[in-house]
Amino acid sequence: LAKTTQPISMDSYEGQEVNITCSHNNIATNDYITWYQQFPSQGPRFIIQGYKTKVTNEVASLFIPADRKSSTLSLPRVSLSDTAVYYCLVGARGGYNKLIFGAGTRLAVHP
Amino acid sequence: EAGVTQSPTHLIKTRGQQATLRCSPISGHTSVYWYQQALGLGLQFLLWYDEGEERNRGNFPPRFSGRQFPNYSSELNVNALELEDSALYLCASSLMGQDPTYTEAFFGQGTRLTVV
């Protein structure tokens, strides 16, 4: 499985755009990139998944460059409720994805 | 539609006892994952079941075991409890086994196990 590296923590303020970058230099051809959000004492929640270029949903955008060795989760206009841990996962869709979580990025949004 | 449900929400056991945690996946999901999350730490992968079989196992001792029933619900058993087993145990389910093009996993709220 491809190893991922994210910043341990980030700080932001309400209304700002937050970009969290994940490095995955050993990503395989059939690997997808998935991001989860976790609030304290709750299970993680799926945010977004992509393979290449850009994916956007109602919550976030995911930017993946052509070499796919990194990806950036973009959260537009964050609020206090976006304070959470964000995990980047890399693995193949289907059968053998073990959903291995790294340490994640602890985002703190301040008033 | 009901999400992933875990029971009990809280469990207190003494060292050396056994704990049994239960998970009901979302209807139609065949894959169930178990994770351990100690306070303030990341999620450690424990077990993955699909279609009733153990598909993969994390780096945990054999006293952590489980099973998946024909209705796809699952049990996690922890024998000979140790103080460091105190953690939030999370269960997740997905369509992994049935739909190889989609791997979103849905998590339950967890069981908080405290070993005293």
Side-chain angles (χ1 to χ4, degrees):
Chain A
L1 290 176
K3 178 179 164 63
T4 60
T5 303
Q6 305 174 233
I8 294 174
S9 64
M10 293 181 68
D11 288 275
S12 185
Y13 293 90
E14 285 189 289
Q16 289 189 331
E17 178 184 73
V18 171
N19 296 308
I20 306 174
T21 297
C22 179
S23 296
H24 27 81
N25 291 321
N26 297 321
I27 190 168
T29 302
N30 58 344
D31 283 345
Y32 280 73
I33 300 151
T34 311
W35 287 80
Y36 284 81
Q37 174 193 56
Q38 186 182 26
F39 298 113
S41 296
Q42 293 187 24
R45 182 177 72 107
F46 173 92
I47 299 176
I48 198 166
Q49 183 179 74
Y51 183 79
K52 62 180 179 180
T53 63
K54 176 183 174 183
V55 179
T56 298
N57 61 22
E58 64 279 5
V59 176
S61 293
L62 178 59
F63 298 92
I64 306 168
D67 66 5
R68 304 201 324 123
K69 292 184 184 299
S70 67
S71 59
T72 300
L73 174 73
S74 182
L75 304 172
R77 297 179 298 282
V78 294
S79 64
L80 296 177
S81 63
D82 292 315
T83 294
V85 179
Y86 293 82
Y87 296 95
C88 163
L89 279 72
V90 172
R93 272 180 164 179
Y96 304 102
N97 184 347
K98 290 191 285 186
L99 284 177
I100 303 299
F101 286 76
T105 297
R106 194 170 296 272
L107 172 66
V109 180
H110 306 280
Chain B
E1 180 183 332
V4 176
T5 57
Q6 292 186 244
S7 62
T9 54
H10 293 84
L11 188 60
I12 300 175
K13 294 283 187 178
T14 56
R15 195 168 42 183
Q17 283 188 316
Q18 178 198 43
T20 298
L21 288 63
R22 297 179 177 82
C23 173
S24 293
I26 289 173
S27 178
H29 286 189
T30 62
S31 275
V32 170
Y33 306 81
W34 286 95
Y35 296 85
Q36 180 196 65
Q37 187 171 36
L39 193 63
L41 299 181
L43 287 86
Q44 301 299 314
F45 168 75
L46 266 166
L47 291 159
W48 170 30
Y49 291 96
D50 183 63
E51 295 283 1
E53 293 192 14
E54 182 180 302
R55 300 294 186 179
N56 226 309
R57 181 182 180 86
N59 189 25
F60 280 83
R63 58 190 186 84
F64 286 83
S65 65
R67 53 181 172 167
Q68 187 177 34
F69 299 98
N71 66 354
Y72 303 115
S73 66
S74 178
E75 262 182 15
L76 174 68
N77 294 293
V78 187
N79 294 321
L81 284 166
E82 300 178 2
L83 296 178
E84 49 268 33
D85 295 334
S86 295
L88 180 67
Y89 288 83
L90 290 160
C91 167
S93 76
S94 79
L95 284 167
M96 189 83 66
Q98 290 182 338
D99 184 352
T101 67
Y102 190 68
T103 57
E104 178 179 347
F106 296 83
F107 283 79
Q109 291 295 88
T111 293
R112 174 74 62 187
L113 173 64
T114 302
V115 183
V116 297

